[in-house]
Amino acid sequence: MANNEEDRSEGSVEMEQQDDDAEAEETEKILIIDPDSEELDFNHSRLTKLENLEPLTKTRKLCFTWNLIKKIENLDTLSTLVELELRDNQITIIENLDALVNLELLDLSFNRIKKIEGLNNLLNLRKLFLSSNKIIYIENLAHLKNLTTLELGDNKIREIVNLDDLTNLINLFLGKNKISKIQNLESLQSLQLLSLQSNRITKIENLGELTKLDQLYLSENGIIYIEGLENCPNLTTLDLTNNKIKKIENIQHLQNLEEFWVNNNEIEDWVTVESLVANKKLQTVYLEKNPVSKDSNYRRKIKLLLPWLVQLDATLCR
């Protein structure tokens, strides 16, 4: 009986070893499959390391999202790479990217990065995604003159700084940080989308140079007044959800405004709501969870006031 147990135990160990070898072999095969392919996706492949990439001399797009990778390494032969996605891993340092001189998109979101660094040679970079990390300070980006999209949401940033040289920036995402003031954006005159939701902002200010701004997201802050939008005539979307606003004001000049979200505020005076008559292109208005929305004729009044409206709150008007 004891011998049978011993044989079974030895057999189990041998089978486990075979399984491990098979898994290792499978991983290796995955990493060198179709070396002539221009796009390879290793999403959710349980990879723990970047390796065996040398045969990929023609690859332009590589995706390693949802893995267990802890270090950026072994990329020196991938000079043809245009897009690299390492989202949802366990990376702590941005490093070993110098050979990727043609890279245009880099996604390192949902990792454990504390510092923006290691991007010195990525002069062709156009889109950089670093959301959901542990970054405290905006730095080491001034040389990225071609950058059009910068995503730094869900970090620990307290101040908007060091963006002056990114004059081609079109989309800037800084939501879910600890920013208390809108500032240092004057040179970003190409900016079309600015996202600052879920911060500590109490005043809309310093947007005077952003004349091309098309979308502005300021929900979940501590804003009291709608102001500071005088030089933003091209706004089509204005999100002020979940603030402390009591009056709808200073938006009559926004003749291109299509989406106006001001739900979850403190608006109680119908007279201020009537000011929306000036915004003839409005398609969607969110006003729910304001005192005015408790009026039994709330929807009827809004429809009569703004007959061109397509959607009020979450419901279509026609």
Side-chain angles (χ1 to χ4, degrees), residues 169-296:
L169 208 59
I170 294 174
N171 306 303
L172 177 58
F173 299 89
L174 288 167
K176 206 173 180 183
N177 276 287
K178 300 179 180 181
I179 297 166
S180 58
K181 186 174 183 178
I182 303 173
Q183 61 182 344
N184 301 322
L185 298 172
E186 292 80 10
S187 64
L188 306 186
Q189 296 178 17
S190 297
L191 209 61
Q192 295 178 21
L193 185 155
L194 176 59
S195 177
L196 286 163
Q197 77 269 23
S198 299
N199 275 285
R200 300 172 180 178
I201 295 164
T202 57
K203 186 177 183 179
I204 305 174
E205 59 184 336
N206 299 320
L207 299 175
E209 301 298 323
L210 307 187
T211 57
K212 294 182 180 179
L213 204 60
D214 177 76
Q215 301 174 57
L216 178 59
Y217 300 94
L218 290 168
S219 62
E220 298 188 49
N221 278 286
I223 297 167
I224 299 173
Y225 302 108
I226 303 177
E227 59 186 336
L229 302 173
E230 294 80 12
N231 292 343
C232 302
N234 293 307
L235 271 182
T236 63
T237 300
L238 178 57
D239 180 9
L240 295 168
T241 302
N242 237 333
N243 278 284
K244 299 178 180 179
I245 296 166
K246 295 182 182 293
K247 295 171 61 177
I248 298 175
E249 57 187 341
N250 300 321
I251 64 168
Q252 291 92 334
H253 65 291
L254 301 180
Q255 294 299 305
N256 293 305
L257 196 62
E258 298 175 1
E259 305 276 334
F260 181 50
W261 308 333
V262 71
N263 46 297
N264 293 77
N265 275 281
E266 300 172 9
I267 298 166
E268 57 183 358
D269 189 347
W270 273 99
V271 174
T272 72
V273 177
E274 290 171 5
S275 67
L276 292 174
V277 171
N279 305 100
K280 302 297 183 183
K281 290 188 179 181
L282 270 179
Q283 295 184 19
T284 301
V285 171
Y286 273 85
L287 268 168
E288 61 185 353
K289 295 186 180 178
N290 278 283
V292 291
S293 67
K294 295 179 182 178
D295 189 318
S296 58

Side-chain angles (χ1 to χ4, degrees), residues 94 113-117 130 133-141 150 152 155-163 174 177 179 183-184:
I94 306 174
I113 297 164
K114 295 182 179 180
K115 184 177 181 179
I116 303 174
E117 60 186 335
L130 291 168
N133 278 285
K134 299 179 180 181
I135 296 167
I136 296 174
Y137 193 64
I138 302 173
E139 60 186 330
N140 300 321
L141 296 173
L150 177 59
L152 286 169
N155 278 284
K156 298 180 179 181
I157 297 167
R158 294 181 178 273
E159 190 177 9
I160 304 173
V161 291
N162 298 326
L163 297 175
L174 288 167
N177 276 287
I179 297 166
Q183 61 182 344
N184 301 322

Side-chain angles (χ1 to χ4, degrees), residues 119-133:
L119 304 172
N120 296 348
N121 282 15
L122 308 188
L123 302 181
N124 288 305
L125 204 61
R126 295 182 181 276
K127 298 181 180 181
L128 176 60
F129 301 93
L130 291 168
S131 64
S132 300
N133 278 285

